[in-house]
Amino acid sequence: IDDLAEIDYSLKSLPAVSRPYIDLDLKGVVYPGGNYSAPPFVAAPFTVPDQSDSMLYLAFSEYFFQTSSFAYYTAGAFNITIAEEVSRTCSYFNISTEIFGSIIPEGAQYSVTPYPVMLKLMATETPIISLQQDSFTLEIQGSMEVFAVLPDSSTQSLFTMSIAANTSISVNTFDQKLMGSLCLNRLQYSLTHSNVGSFEISLLENILSYILQTEVIPSANGE
């Protein structure tokens, strides 16, 4: 598929051939690149609705998406760094340590001379993908560490938060294009460690939620 994941799409059985159709049962297992150990999921059988008004039907099982999530999680694809370089190309991510001055007890030292802020996001568990009738949901458990980028380019860890996110993704066709619509259902934070004293996490929640929804989980439709 790419540098991170490979797919086994070998036939599981001989093709079923009849006058109206050919039925191909493919394996559809995604592995981390170079690692072909069995994923920690069990493939459940499923059936494709009996329809005949189109030339081609494709069906993807929940198991296919689960193994994809596991493969990319194992390869570290869900680890993201949002730094100053990103903010130069997108006006939405433009925060500095100045915002911490009034809400973090020991944050005043970082607000007198504002420093750029770097965010490191990491999935702490394999993201869970569940299929519904017309959409699927994605649940992510992760952590976010916030750093101040000092003048000598070194970083100072300020605090770490755990994150729980739940999103719904609907897929449909429009004007012969496959379109996806992403909705962020829930985004929750909790403070797990702080180098700048304890503080009320809700004071940062609105700011960080806006940043993450804009930069990491865009809400607009996309092809």
Side-chain angles (χ1 to χ4, degrees), residues 8-47:
D8 180 356
Y9 55 91
S10 56
L11 280 169
K12 295 183 62 179
S13 59
L14 290 175
V17 181
S18 64
R19 182 179 297 273
Y21 65 83
I22 297 177
D23 190 1
L24 301 176
D25 188 8
L26 305 179
K27 192 172 184 180
V29 181
V30 181
Y31 299 96
N35 181 0
Y36 306 113
S37 57
F41 306 104
V42 177
F46 73 102
T47 58

PDB file of all heavy atoms in Angstrom, residues 8-47:
ATOM      1  N   ASP A   8      -2.619  -8.344   2.050  1.00  0.00           N
ATOM      2  CA  ASP A   8      -2.752  -9.682   1.478  1.00  0.00           C
ATOM      3  C   ASP A   8      -4.163  -9.785   0.916  1.00  0.00           C
ATOM      4  O   ASP A   8      -5.137  -9.857   1.666  1.00  0.00           O
ATOM      5  CB  ASP A   8      -2.515 -10.745   2.551  1.00  0.00           C
ATOM      6  CG  ASP A   8      -2.649 -12.170   2.012  1.00  0.00           C
ATOM      7  OD1 ASP A   8      -3.005 -12.325   0.827  1.00  0.00           O
ATOM      8  OD2 ASP A   8      -2.410 -13.108   2.783  1.00  0.00           O
ATOM      9  N   TYR A   9      -4.284  -9.769  -0.412  1.00  0.00           N
ATOM     10  CA  TYR A   9      -5.602  -9.854  -1.036  1.00  0.00           C
ATOM     11  C   TYR A   9      -5.730 -11.138  -1.859  1.00  0.00           C
ATOM     12  O   TYR A   9      -6.413 -11.178  -2.880  1.00  0.00           O
ATOM     13  CB  TYR A   9      -5.885  -8.630  -1.908  1.00  0.00           C
ATOM     14  CG  TYR A   9      -4.849  -8.342  -2.973  1.00  0.00           C
ATOM     15  CD1 TYR A   9      -4.953  -8.876  -4.253  1.00  0.00           C
ATOM     16  CD2 TYR A   9      -3.770  -7.515  -2.688  1.00  0.00           C
ATOM     17  CE1 TYR A   9      -4.012  -8.602  -5.211  1.00  0.00           C
ATOM     18  CE2 TYR A   9      -2.819  -7.232  -3.648  1.00  0.00           C
ATOM     19  CZ  TYR A   9      -2.939  -7.783  -4.918  1.00  0.00           C
ATOM     20  OH  TYR A   9      -1.994  -7.512  -5.872  1.00  0.00           O
ATOM     21  N   SER A  10      -5.055 -12.197  -1.381  1.00  0.00           N
ATOM     22  CA  SER A  10      -5.119 -13.479  -2.089  1.00  0.00           C
ATOM     23  C   SER A  10      -6.521 -14.071  -2.002  1.00  0.00           C
ATOM     24  O   SER A  10      -7.284 -13.789  -1.073  1.00  0.00           O
ATOM     25  CB  SER A  10      -4.107 -14.452  -1.494  1.00  0.00           C
ATOM     26  OG  SER A  10      -4.329 -14.602  -0.096  1.00  0.00           O
ATOM     27  N   LEU A  11      -6.842 -14.915  -2.970  1.00  0.00           N
ATOM     28  CA  LEU A  11      -8.146 -15.577  -2.981  1.00  0.00           C
ATOM     29  C   LEU A  11      -8.252 -16.578  -1.836  1.00  0.00           C
ATOM     30  O   LEU A  11      -7.323 -17.362  -1.590  1.00  0.00           O
ATOM     31  CB  LEU A  11      -8.356 -16.306  -4.314  1.00  0.00           C
ATOM     32  CG  LEU A  11      -8.792 -15.459  -5.505  1.00  0.00           C
ATOM     33  CD1 LEU A  11      -8.697 -16.278  -6.785  1.00  0.00           C
ATOM     34  CD2 LEU A  11     -10.212 -14.947  -5.308  1.00  0.00           C
ATOM     35  N   LYS A  12      -9.370 -16.578  -1.143  1.00  0.00           N
ATOM     36  CA  LYS A  12      -9.589 -17.534  -0.050  1.00  0.00           C
ATOM     37  C   LYS A  12     -10.149 -18.860  -0.567  1.00  0.00           C
ATOM     38  O   LYS A  12     -10.034 -19.885   0.098  1.00  0.00           O
ATOM     39  CB  LYS A  12     -10.552 -16.939   0.974  1.00  0.00           C
ATOM     40  CG  LYS A  12     -10.009 -15.721   1.704  1.00  0.00           C
ATOM     41  CD  LYS A  12     -10.983 -15.224   2.757  1.00  0.00           C
ATOM     42  CE  LYS A  12     -11.223 -16.268   3.840  1.00  0.00           C
ATOM     43  NZ  LYS A  12     -12.155 -15.799   4.875  1.00  0.00           N
ATOM     44  N   SER A  13     -10.770 -18.816  -1.732  1.00  0.00           N
ATOM     45  CA  SER A  13     -11.353 -20.024  -2.309  1.00  0.00           C
ATOM     46  C   SER A  13     -11.475 -19.829  -3.814  1.00  0.00           C
ATOM     47  O   SER A  13     -11.249 -18.724  -4.332  1.00  0.00           O
ATOM     48  CB  SER A  13     -12.732 -20.314  -1.686  1.00  0.00           C
ATOM     49  OG  SER A  13     -13.605 -19.225  -1.907  1.00  0.00           O
ATOM     50  N   LEU A  14     -11.825 -20.898  -4.517  1.00  0.00           N
ATOM     51  CA  LEU A  14     -12.022 -20.780  -5.960  1.00  0.00           C
ATOM     52  C   LEU A  14     -13.178 -19.831  -6.265  1.00  0.00           C
ATOM     53  O   LEU A  14     -14.186 -19.813  -5.544  1.00  0.00           O
ATOM     54  CB  LEU A  14     -12.322 -22.163  -6.555  1.00  0.00           C
ATOM     55  CG  LEU A  14     -11.154 -23.166  -6.586  1.00  0.00           C
ATOM     56  CD1 LEU A  14     -11.643 -24.519  -7.079  1.00  0.00           C
ATOM     57  CD2 LEU A  14     -10.022 -22.644  -7.453  1.00  0.00           C
ATOM     58  N   PRO A  15     -13.048 -19.017  -7.319  1.00  0.00           N
ATOM     59  CA  PRO A  15     -14.138 -18.100  -7.670  1.00  0.00           C
ATOM     60  C   PRO A  15     -15.426 -18.867  -7.970  1.00  0.00           C
ATOM     61  O   PRO A  15     -15.401 -19.947  -8.569  1.00  0.00           O
ATOM     62  CB  PRO A  15     -13.609 -17.391  -8.916  1.00  0.00           C
ATOM     63  CG  PRO A  15     -12.122 -17.548  -8.857  1.00  0.00           C
ATOM     64  CD  PRO A  15     -11.885 -18.870  -8.201  1.00  0.00           C
ATOM     65  N   ALA A  16     -16.542 -18.314  -7.517  1.00  0.00           N
ATOM     66  CA  ALA A  16     -17.857 -18.880  -7.830  1.00  0.00           C
ATOM     67  C   ALA A  16     -18.342 -18.249  -9.127  1.00  0.00           C
ATOM     68  O   ALA A  16     -18.593 -17.039  -9.194  1.00  0.00           O
ATOM     69  CB  ALA A  16     -18.839 -18.603  -6.698  1.00  0.00           C
ATOM     70  N   VAL A  17     -18.446 -19.052 -10.169  1.00  0.00           N
ATOM     71  CA  VAL A  17     -18.804 -18.547 -11.492  1.00  0.00           C
ATOM     72  C   VAL A  17     -20.164 -19.101 -11.885  1.00  0.00           C
ATOM     73  O   VAL A  17     -20.402 -20.320 -11.835  1.00  0.00           O
ATOM     74  CB  VAL A  17     -17.744 -18.947 -12.545  1.00  0.00           C
ATOM     75  CG1 VAL A  17     -18.118 -18.379 -13.920  1.00  0.00           C
ATOM     76  CG2 VAL A  17     -16.364 -18.477 -12.115  1.00  0.00           C
ATOM     77  N   SER A  18     -21.050 -18.215 -12.275  1.00  0.00           N
ATOM     78  CA  SER A  18     -22.365 -18.626 -12.766  1.00  0.00           C
ATOM     79  C   SER A  18     -22.738 -17.718 -13.925  1.00  0.00           C
ATOM     80  O   SER A  18     -21.996 -16.803 -14.287  1.00  0.00           O
ATOM     81  CB  SER A  18     -23.415 -18.557 -11.655  1.00  0.00           C
ATOM     82  OG  SER A  18     -23.581 -17.223 -11.227  1.00  0.00           O
ATOM     83  N   ARG A  19     -23.900 -17.927 -14.502  1.00  0.00           N
ATOM     84  CA  ARG A  19     -24.305 -17.126 -15.649  1.00  0.00           C
ATOM     85  C   ARG A  19     -24.417 -15.624 -15.309  1.00  0.00           C
ATOM     86  O   ARG A  19     -23.935 -14.786 -16.068  1.00  0.00           O
ATOM     87  CB  ARG A  19     -25.624 -17.647 -16.223  1.00  0.00           C
ATOM     88  CG  ARG A  19     -26.103 -16.887 -17.462  1.00  0.00           C
ATOM     89  CD  ARG A  19     -27.399 -17.483 -17.983  1.00  0.00           C
ATOM     90  NE  ARG A  19     -27.206 -18.855 -18.425  1.00  0.00           N
ATOM     91  CZ  ARG A  19     -26.818 -19.199 -19.650  1.00  0.00           C
ATOM     92  NH1 ARG A  19     -26.575 -18.259 -20.540  1.00  0.00           N
ATOM     93  NH2 ARG A  19     -26.672 -20.460 -19.976  1.00  0.00           N
ATOM     94  N   PRO A  20     -25.004 -15.241 -14.154  1.00  0.00           N
ATOM     95  CA  PRO A  20     -25.169 -13.801 -13.909  1.00  0.00           C
ATOM     96  C   PRO A  20     -23.976 -13.121 -13.249  1.00  0.00           C
ATOM     97  O   PRO A  20     -23.870 -11.899 -13.270  1.00  0.00           O
ATOM     98  CB  PRO A  20     -26.396 -13.733 -13.012  1.00  0.00           C
ATOM     99  CG  PRO A  20     -26.371 -15.018 -12.265  1.00  0.00           C
ATOM    100  CD  PRO A  20     -25.791 -16.034 -13.204  1.00  0.00           C
ATOM    101  N   TYR A  21     -23.065 -13.878 -12.645  1.00  0.00           N
ATOM    102  CA  TYR A  21     -22.024 -13.177 -11.889  1.00  0.00           C
ATOM    103  C   TYR A  21     -20.795 -14.053 -11.678  1.00  0.00           C
ATOM    104  O   TYR A  21     -20.815 -15.280 -11.880  1.00  0.00           O
ATOM    105  CB  TYR A  21     -22.557 -12.724 -10.531  1.00  0.00           C
ATOM    106  CG  TYR A  21     -22.926 -13.850  -9.593  1.00  0.00           C
ATOM    107  CD1 TYR A  21     -21.964 -14.495  -8.813  1.00  0.00           C
ATOM    108  CD2 TYR A  21     -24.238 -14.288  -9.482  1.00  0.00           C
ATOM    109  CE1 TYR A  21     -22.301 -15.533  -7.965  1.00  0.00           C
ATOM    110  CE2 TYR A  21     -24.590 -15.328  -8.642  1.00  0.00           C
ATOM    111  CZ  TYR A  21     -23.609 -15.949  -7.881  1.00  0.00           C
ATOM    112  OH  TYR A  21     -23.940 -16.982  -7.052  1.00  0.00           O
ATOM    113  N   ILE A  22     -19.710 -13.380 -11.264  1.00  0.00           N
ATOM    114  CA  ILE A  22     -18.507 -14.035 -10.753  1.00  0.00           C
ATOM    115  C   ILE A  22     -18.269 -13.485  -9.351  1.00  0.00           C
ATOM    116  O   ILE A  22     -18.214 -12.263  -9.147  1.00  0.00           O
ATOM    117  CB  ILE A  22     -17.280 -13.754 -11.638  1.00  0.00           C
ATOM    118  CG1 ILE A  22     -17.487 -14.328 -13.043  1.00  0.00           C
ATOM    119  CG2 ILE A  22     -16.018 -14.366 -11.029  1.00  0.00           C
ATOM    120  CD1 ILE A  22     -16.335 -14.008 -13.989  1.00  0.00           C
ATOM    121  N   ASP A  23     -18.135 -14.373  -8.372  1.00  0.00           N
ATOM    122  CA  ASP A  23     -17.975 -13.982  -6.975  1.00  0.00           C
ATOM    123  C   ASP A  23     -16.546 -14.297  -6.540  1.00  0.00           C
ATOM    124  O   ASP A  23     -16.126 -15.454  -6.548  1.00  0.00           O
ATOM    125  CB  ASP A  23     -18.985 -14.736  -6.110  1.00  0.00           C
ATOM    126  CG  ASP A  23     -19.028 -14.200  -4.687  1.00  0.00           C
ATOM    127  OD1 ASP A  23     -18.296 -13.234  -4.393  1.00  0.00           O
ATOM    128  OD2 ASP A  23     -19.789 -14.754  -3.868  1.00  0.00           O
ATOM    129  N   LEU A  24     -15.790 -13.261  -6.169  1.00  0.00           N
ATOM    130  CA  LEU A  24     -14.412 -13.412  -5.725  1.00  0.00           C
ATOM    131  C   LEU A  24     -14.330 -13.135  -4.234  1.00  0.00           C
ATOM    132  O   LEU A  24     -14.705 -12.051  -3.780  1.00  0.00           O
ATOM    133  CB  LEU A  24     -13.483 -12.454  -6.479  1.00  0.00           C
ATOM    134  CG  LEU A  24     -13.442 -12.595  -8.006  1.00  0.00           C
ATOM    135  CD1 LEU A  24     -12.559 -11.520  -8.609  1.00  0.00           C
ATOM    136  CD2 LEU A  24     -12.946 -13.981  -8.393  1.00  0.00           C
ATOM    137  N   ASP A  25     -13.841 -14.091  -3.479  1.00  0.00           N
ATOM    138  CA  ASP A  25     -13.707 -13.954  -2.025  1.00  0.00           C
ATOM    139  C   ASP A  25     -12.229 -13.735  -1.704  1.00  0.00           C
ATOM    140  O   ASP A  25     -11.430 -14.679  -1.696  1.00  0.00           O
ATOM    141  CB  ASP A  25     -14.231 -15.218  -1.334  1.00  0.00           C
ATOM    142  CG  ASP A  25     -14.299 -15.055   0.179  1.00  0.00           C
ATOM    143  OD1 ASP A  25     -14.080 -13.930   0.661  1.00  0.00           O
ATOM    144  OD2 ASP A  25     -14.566 -16.059   0.868  1.00  0.00           O
ATOM    145  N   LEU A  26     -11.866 -12.479  -1.462  1.00  0.00           N
ATOM    146  CA  LEU A  26     -10.475 -12.122  -1.217  1.00  0.00           C
ATOM    147  C   LEU A  26     -10.186 -12.042   0.277  1.00  0.00           C
ATOM    148  O   LEU A  26     -11.069 -11.742   1.080  1.00  0.00           O
ATOM    149  CB  LEU A  26     -10.142 -10.779  -1.875  1.00  0.00           C
ATOM    150  CG  LEU A  26     -10.428 -10.679  -3.372  1.00  0.00           C
ATOM    151  CD1 LEU A  26     -10.077  -9.285  -3.889  1.00  0.00           C
ATOM    152  CD2 LEU A  26      -9.658 -11.735  -4.145  1.00  0.00           C
ATOM    153  N   LYS A  27      -8.939 -12.273   0.643  1.00  0.00           N
ATOM    154  CA  LYS A  27      -8.566 -12.325   2.057  1.00  0.00           C
ATOM    155  C   LYS A  27      -8.683 -10.951   2.716  1.00  0.00           C
ATOM    156  O   LYS A  27      -9.325 -10.797   3.737  1.00  0.00           O
ATOM    157  CB  LYS A  27      -7.152 -12.867   2.192  1.00  0.00           C
ATOM    158  CG  LYS A  27      -6.776 -13.231   3.630  1.00  0.00           C
ATOM    159  CD  LYS A  27      -5.435 -13.955   3.657  1.00  0.00           C
ATOM    160  CE  LYS A  27      -5.098 -14.405   5.079  1.00  0.00           C
ATOM    161  NZ  LYS A  27      -3.796 -15.117   5.142  1.00  0.00           N
ATOM    162  N   GLY A  28      -8.024  -9.929   2.175  1.00  0.00           N
ATOM    163  CA  GLY A  28      -8.192  -8.564   2.671  1.00  0.00           C
ATOM    164  C   GLY A  28      -7.649  -8.310   4.059  1.00  0.00           C
ATOM    165  O   GLY A  28      -8.354  -7.775   4.918  1.00  0.00           O
ATOM    166  N   VAL A  29      -6.388  -8.707   4.314  1.00  0.00           N
ATOM    167  CA  VAL A  29      -5.752  -8.465   5.606  1.00  0.00           C
ATOM    168  C   VAL A  29      -4.605  -7.487   5.404  1.00  0.00           C
ATOM    169  O   VAL A  29      -3.777  -7.661   4.507  1.00  0.00           O
ATOM    170  CB  VAL A  29      -5.206  -9.770   6.229  1.00  0.00           C
ATOM    171  CG1 VAL A  29      -4.578  -9.490   7.589  1.00  0.00           C
ATOM    172  CG2 VAL A  29      -6.313 -10.790   6.361  1.00  0.00           C
ATOM    173  N   VAL A  30      -4.548  -6.450   6.243  1.00  0.00           N
ATOM    174  CA  VAL A  30      -3.489  -5.445   6.153  1.00  0.00           C
ATOM    175  C   VAL A  30      -2.488  -5.692   7.276  1.00  0.00           C
ATOM    176  O   VAL A  30      -2.875  -5.909   8.432  1.00  0.00           O
ATOM    177  CB  VAL A  30      -4.065  -4.013   6.257  1.00  0.00           C
ATOM    178  CG1 VAL A  30      -2.947  -2.976   6.132  1.00  0.00           C
ATOM    179  CG2 VAL A  30      -5.110  -3.789   5.158  1.00  0.00           C
ATOM    180  N   TYR A  31      -1.204  -5.680   6.926  1.00  0.00           N
ATOM    181  CA  TYR A  31      -0.128  -5.926   7.882  1.00  0.00           C
ATOM    182  C   TYR A  31       0.803  -4.722   7.951  1.00  0.00           C
ATOM    183  O   TYR A  31       0.960  -4.002   6.964  1.00  0.00           O
ATOM    184  CB  TYR A  31       0.710  -7.139   7.461  1.00  0.00           C
ATOM    185  CG  TYR A  31      -0.035  -8.440   7.369  1.00  0.00           C
ATOM    186  CD1 TYR A  31      -0.545  -8.891   6.154  1.00  0.00           C
ATOM    187  CD2 TYR A  31      -0.217  -9.232   8.499  1.00  0.00           C
ATOM    188  CE1 TYR A  31      -1.217 -10.099   6.072  1.00  0.00           C
ATOM    189  CE2 TYR A  31      -0.883 -10.445   8.420  1.00  0.00           C
ATOM    190  CZ  TYR A  31      -1.387 -10.874   7.206  1.00  0.00           C
ATOM    191  OH  TYR A  31      -2.056 -12.060   7.126  1.00  0.00           O
ATOM    192  N   PRO A  32       1.465  -4.521   9.102  1.00  0.00           N
ATOM    193  CA  PRO A  32       2.561  -3.546   9.137  1.00  0.00           C
ATOM    194  C   PRO A  32       3.642  -3.993   8.159  1.00  0.00           C
ATOM    195  O   PRO A  32       3.857  -5.191   7.961  1.00  0.00           O
ATOM    196  CB  PRO A  32       3.054  -3.609  10.590  1.00  0.00           C
ATOM    197  CG  PRO A  32       1.932  -4.233  11.358  1.00  0.00           C
ATOM    198  CD  PRO A  32       1.230  -5.156  10.409  1.00  0.00           C
ATOM    199  N   GLY A  33       4.312  -3.042   7.523  1.00  0.00           N
ATOM    200  CA  GLY A  33       5.299  -3.373   6.517  1.00  0.00           C
ATOM    201  C   GLY A  33       6.327  -4.384   7.004  1.00  0.00           C
ATOM    202  O   GLY A  33       7.017  -4.141   7.989  1.00  0.00           O
ATOM    203  N   GLY A  34       6.423  -5.536   6.313  1.00  0.00           N
ATOM    204  CA  GLY A  34       7.401  -6.551   6.653  1.00  0.00           C
ATOM    205  C   GLY A  34       7.059  -7.423   7.840  1.00  0.00           C
ATOM    206  O   GLY A  34       7.831  -8.307   8.205  1.00  0.00           O
ATOM    207  N   ASN A  35       5.922  -7.205   8.461  1.00  0.00           N
ATOM    208  CA  ASN A  35       5.524  -7.988   9.643  1.00  0.00           C
ATOM    209  C   ASN A  35       4.213  -8.703   9.338  1.00  0.00           C
ATOM    210  O   ASN A  35       3.153  -8.087   9.288  1.00  0.00           O
ATOM    211  CB  ASN A  35       5.364  -7.064  10.853  1.00  0.00           C
ATOM    212  CG  ASN A  35       4.985  -7.819  12.123  1.00  0.00           C
ATOM    213  OD1 ASN A  35       4.832  -9.037  12.112  1.00  0.00           O
ATOM    214  ND2 ASN A  35       4.826  -7.094  13.215  1.00  0.00           N
ATOM    215  N   TYR A  36       4.291 -10.032   9.140  1.00  0.00           N
ATOM    216  CA  TYR A  36       3.127 -10.785   8.698  1.00  0.00           C
ATOM    217  C   TYR A  36       2.519 -11.645   9.803  1.00  0.00           C
ATOM    218  O   TYR A  36       1.876 -12.660   9.532  1.00  0.00           O
ATOM    219  CB  TYR A  36       3.504 -11.652   7.489  1.00  0.00           C
ATOM    220  CG  TYR A  36       4.124 -10.850   6.375  1.00  0.00           C
ATOM    221  CD1 TYR A  36       5.453 -11.036   6.031  1.00  0.00           C
ATOM    222  CD2 TYR A  36       3.393  -9.883   5.692  1.00  0.00           C
ATOM    223  CE1 TYR A  36       6.038 -10.289   5.023  1.00  0.00           C
ATOM    224  CE2 TYR A  36       3.969  -9.121   4.696  1.00  0.00           C
ATOM    225  CZ  TYR A  36       5.294  -9.335   4.357  1.00  0.00           C
ATOM    226  OH  TYR A  36       5.864  -8.584   3.363  1.00  0.00           O
ATOM    227  N   SER A  37       2.737 -11.251  11.052  1.00  0.00           N
ATOM    228  CA  SER A  37       2.110 -11.980  12.151  1.00  0.00           C
ATOM    229  C   SER A  37       0.612 -11.692  12.161  1.00  0.00           C
ATOM    230  O   SER A  37       0.162 -10.621  11.737  1.00  0.00           O
ATOM    231  CB  SER A  37       2.739 -11.574  13.489  1.00  0.00           C
ATOM    232  OG  SER A  37       2.621 -10.174  13.687  1.00  0.00           O
ATOM    233  N   ALA A  38      -0.149 -12.646  12.641  1.00  0.00           N
ATOM    234  CA  ALA A  38      -1.612 -12.531  12.622  1.00  0.00           C
ATOM    235  C   ALA A  38      -2.066 -11.356  13.483  1.00  0.00           C
ATOM    236  O   ALA A  38      -1.624 -11.205  14.622  1.00  0.00           O
ATOM    237  CB  ALA A  38      -2.238 -13.823  13.127  1.00  0.00           C
ATOM    238  N   PRO A  39      -2.946 -10.506  12.973  1.00  0.00           N
ATOM    239  CA  PRO A  39      -3.457  -9.385  13.766  1.00  0.00           C
ATOM    240  C   PRO A  39      -4.353  -9.883  14.893  1.00  0.00           C
ATOM    241  O   PRO A  39      -4.911 -10.984  14.820  1.00  0.00           O
ATOM    242  CB  PRO A  39      -4.251  -8.559  12.744  1.00  0.00           C
ATOM    243  CG  PRO A  39      -4.621  -9.535  11.679  1.00  0.00           C
ATOM    244  CD  PRO A  39      -3.509 -10.533  11.613  1.00  0.00           C
ATOM    245  N   PRO A  40      -4.511  -9.093  15.955  1.00  0.00           N
ATOM    246  CA  PRO A  40      -5.289  -9.533  17.129  1.00  0.00           C
ATOM    247  C   PRO A  40      -6.794  -9.366  16.945  1.00  0.00           C
ATOM    248  O   PRO A  40      -7.484  -8.872  17.814  1.00  0.00           O
ATOM    249  CB  PRO A  40      -4.763  -8.616  18.234  1.00  0.00           C
ATOM    250  CG  PRO A  40      -4.423  -7.353  17.526  1.00  0.00           C
ATOM    251  CD  PRO A  40      -3.890  -7.769  16.171  1.00  0.00           C
ATOM    252  N   PHE A  41      -7.321  -9.797  15.803  1.00  0.00           N
ATOM    253  CA  PHE A  41      -8.752  -9.701  15.532  1.00  0.00           C
ATOM    254  C   PHE A  41      -9.226 -11.018  14.925  1.00  0.00           C
ATOM    255  O   PHE A  41      -8.438 -11.776  14.360  1.00  0.00           O
ATOM    256  CB  PHE A  41      -9.056  -8.553  14.557  1.00  0.00           C
ATOM    257  CG  PHE A  41      -8.511  -7.217  14.983  1.00  0.00           C
ATOM    258  CD1 PHE A  41      -7.381  -6.694  14.375  1.00  0.00           C
ATOM    259  CD2 PHE A  41      -9.120  -6.494  15.989  1.00  0.00           C
ATOM    260  CE1 PHE A  41      -6.873  -5.471  14.757  1.00  0.00           C
ATOM    261  CE2 PHE A  41      -8.623  -5.273  16.386  1.00  0.00           C
ATOM    262  CZ  PHE A  41      -7.495  -4.759  15.764  1.00  0.00           C
ATOM    263  N   VAL A  42     -10.509 -11.250  15.024  1.00  0.00           N
ATOM    264  CA  VAL A  42     -11.130 -12.436  14.415  1.00  0.00           C
ATOM    265  C   VAL A  42     -12.046 -11.964  13.295  1.00  0.00           C
ATOM    266  O   VAL A  42     -12.892 -11.086  13.500  1.00  0.00           O
ATOM    267  CB  VAL A  42     -11.930 -13.245  15.448  1.00  0.00           C
ATOM    268  CG1 VAL A  42     -12.619 -14.425  14.776  1.00  0.00           C
ATOM    269  CG2 VAL A  42     -11.014 -13.733  16.564  1.00  0.00           C
ATOM    270  N   ALA A  43     -11.861 -12.535  12.119  1.00  0.00           N
ATOM    271  CA  ALA A  43     -12.684 -12.154  10.975  1.00  0.00           C
ATOM    272  C   ALA A  43     -14.061 -12.796  11.093  1.00  0.00           C
ATOM    273  O   ALA A  43     -14.178 -14.013  11.181  1.00  0.00           O
ATOM    274  CB  ALA A  43     -12.004 -12.586   9.678  1.00  0.00           C
ATOM    275  N   ALA A  44     -15.091 -11.969  11.102  1.00  0.00           N
ATOM    276  CA  ALA A  44     -16.467 -12.468  11.170  1.00  0.00           C
ATOM    277  C   ALA A  44     -17.031 -12.580   9.757  1.00  0.00           C
ATOM    278  O   ALA A  44     -16.780 -11.724   8.905  1.00  0.00           O
ATOM    279  CB  ALA A  44     -17.329 -11.528  12.003  1.00  0.00           C
ATOM    280  N   PRO A  45     -17.791 -13.645   9.463  1.00  0.00           N
ATOM    281  CA  PRO A  45     -18.380 -13.789   8.122  1.00  0.00           C
ATOM    282  C   PRO A  45     -19.431 -12.714   7.870  1.00  0.00           C
ATOM    283  O   PRO A  45     -20.089 -12.232   8.795  1.00  0.00           O
ATOM    284  CB  PRO A  45     -19.014 -15.181   8.165  1.00  0.00           C
ATOM    285  CG  PRO A  45     -19.265 -15.441   9.615  1.00  0.00           C
ATOM    286  CD  PRO A  45     -18.148 -14.765  10.351  1.00  0.00           C
ATOM    287  N   PHE A  46     -19.556 -12.331   6.626  1.00  0.00           N
ATOM    288  CA  PHE A  46     -20.587 -11.360   6.260  1.00  0.00           C
ATOM    289  C   PHE A  46     -21.056 -11.667   4.841  1.00  0.00           C
ATOM    290  O   PHE A  46     -20.368 -12.337   4.073  1.00  0.00           O
ATOM    291  CB  PHE A  46     -20.066  -9.922   6.363  1.00  0.00           C
ATOM    292  CG  PHE A  46     -19.099  -9.525   5.284  1.00  0.00           C
ATOM    293  CD1 PHE A  46     -19.506  -8.739   4.214  1.00  0.00           C
ATOM    294  CD2 PHE A  46     -17.774  -9.936   5.338  1.00  0.00           C
ATOM    295  CE1 PHE A  46     -18.618  -8.390   3.218  1.00  0.00           C
ATOM    296  CE2 PHE A  46     -16.873  -9.582   4.345  1.00  0.00           C
ATOM    297  CZ  PHE A  46     -17.296  -8.798   3.274  1.00  0.00           C
ATOM    298  N   THR A  47     -22.228 -11.191   4.500  1.00  0.00           N
ATOM    299  CA  THR A  47     -22.804 -11.443   3.181  1.00  0.00           C
ATOM    300  C   THR A  47     -23.026 -10.132   2.451  1.00  0.00           C
ATOM    301  O   THR A  47     -23.246  -9.085   3.075  1.00  0.00           O
ATOM    302  CB  THR A  47     -24.144 -12.198   3.299  1.00  0.00           C
ATOM    303  OG1 THR A  47     -25.045 -11.414   4.112  1.00  0.00           O
ATOM    304  CG2 THR A  47     -23.935 -13.567   3.941  1.00  0.00           C
TER     305      THR A  47
END
